[in-house]
């Protein structure tokens, strides 16, 4: 059977490329619970310990925004664009992200447990100690990113790809896989959960690199000579 064609890698957009760019208005207020923000440009903001659960962000842009701490549980991010945006120690559990794009961003110590991401692209982003347990990812692409100490345990990975991305100590325990593509990853540093990646695509070179870990997973003893 012929191998499935590799999905083309998305290219990042500039702010001016957004179809709603001409309608954006600069954000000047404060974030609160159950907010509703449409066509808002968050530009150069420092947002610390905000309580903005269940807030809706529709056709919004985030430029050089720093989110420190804060609680955004069950917030929705629909058709949003972010560039050089930092999320540090932020609670984003059970949030929903649809048709979103993030570039040159940082997520460190972020809680995304139970979140749902659909048609989301990350370009040149760094994920450090991010909790993605029990998330549902569909058509999500990590392009030239760094994923370090990221936990996908119990996540559903459908149409997820990692072109040019480096994985370091990433956990995939008990994930479910449907069309996930790891073959374009720059490095596969998988800490646990190899057995759960049944059905994922990898390259021949990656197979060789993973051979010792795969042998250990299935209980093989490798003898020298």
């Amino acid at each position: 059977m012929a191998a499935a064609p590799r999905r083309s890698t998305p290219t990042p957009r500039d702010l001016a490329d957004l179809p709603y760019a001409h309608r954006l208005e600069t954000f000047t207020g404060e974030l609160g619970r159950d907010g509703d923000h449409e066509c808002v440009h968050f530009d150069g903001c420092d947002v610390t310990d905000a309580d903005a659960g269940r807030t809706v962000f529709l056709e919004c842009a985030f430029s050089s925004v720093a989110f420190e701490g804060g609680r955004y549980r069950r917030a929705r991010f629909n058709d949003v664009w972010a560039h050089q945006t930092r999320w540090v120690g932020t609670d984003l559990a059970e949030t929903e992200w649809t048709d979103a794009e993030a570039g040159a961003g940082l997520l460190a110590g972020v809680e995304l447990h139970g979140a749902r991401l659909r048609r989301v692209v990350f370009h040149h982003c760094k994920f450090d100690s991010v909790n993605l347990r029990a998330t549902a990812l569909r058509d999500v692409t990590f392009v030239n990113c760094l994923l370090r100490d990221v936990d996908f345990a119990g996540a559903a990975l459908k149409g997820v790809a990692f072109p040019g991305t480096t994985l370091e100590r990433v956990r995939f325990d008990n994930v479910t896989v449907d069309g996930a593509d790891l073959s374009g990853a720059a490095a596969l540093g998988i800490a646990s959960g190899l057995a759960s990646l049944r059905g994922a695509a990898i390259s021949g070179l990656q197979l060789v690199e993973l051979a010792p870990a795969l042998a250990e997973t299935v209980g093989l003893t490798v003898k020298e000579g």
Side-chain angles (χ1 to χ4, degrees):
M1 181 180 295
R6 183 176 294 180
R7 188 172 63 191
S8 61
T9 301
T11 55
R13 295 179 297 174
D14 292 327
L15 179 64
D17 298 328
L18 303 177
Y20 52 85
H22 64 288
R23 295 189 284 115
L24 290 171
E25 297 183 359
T26 302
F27 179 72
T28 57
E30 294 184 0
L31 291 175
R33 292 186 61 83
D34 300 301
D36 189 354
H37 304 284
E38 182 176 354
C39 288
V40 176
H41 185 197
F42 298 82
D43 187 13
C45 307
D46 291 329
V47 184
T48 303
D49 293 330
D51 186 1
R54 298 182 181 274
T55 292
V56 176
F57 300 91
L58 174 62
E59 294 187 338
C60 291
F62 301 85
S63 302
S64 301
V65 179
F67 292 93
E68 300 286 342
R71 295 158 298 280
Y72 299 82
R73 288 198 169 217
R74 298 185 180 177
R76 288 187 291 154
F77 298 81
N78 296 336
D79 201 356
V80 300
W81 176 94
H83 183 68
Q84 293 184 339
T85 295
R86 298 167 51 91
W87 301 83
V88 179
T90 308
D91 185 353
L92 292 166
E94 300 180 9
T95 51
E96 294 187 13
W97 303 73
T98 305
D99 296 316
E101 176 183 335
L106 169 69
L107 293 88
V110 170
E111 173 69 54
L112 273 162
H113 179 275
R116 301 173 64 86
L117 289 74
R118 184 173 184 179
R119 295 188 300 273
V120 179
V121 183
F122 298 97
H123 298 276
H124 299 278
C125 291
K126 179 179 179 181
F127 292 71
D128 196 343
S129 301
V130 174
N131 182 0
L132 283 160
R133 296 170 69 93
T135 53
L137 286 76
R138 182 171 183 177
D139 299 326
V140 176
T141 307
F142 300 88
V143 183
N144 299 321
C145 295
L146 171 61
L147 276 60
R148 177 182 294 144
D149 295 313
V150 173
D151 192 351
F152 286 98
L157 310 178
K158 183 173 184 178
V160 179
F162 302 83
T165 288
T166 297
L167 281 67
E168 296 183 3
R169 301 183 300 275
V170 176
R171 298 182 178 276
F172 290 103
D173 303 273
N174 301 314
V175 298
T176 56
V177 172
D178 183 359
D181 189 353
L182 291 159
S183 65
L188 285 183
I190 299 176
S192 61
L194 268 176
S196 297
L197 288 172
R198 175 187 291 270
I202 61 173
S203 70
L205 179 60
Q206 289 169 338
L207 176 60
V208 173
E209 294 173 343
L210 289 173
L214 288 169
E216 182 179 354
T217 297
V218 300
L220 295 176
T221 299
V222 180
K223 294 185 176 180
E224 300 295 335

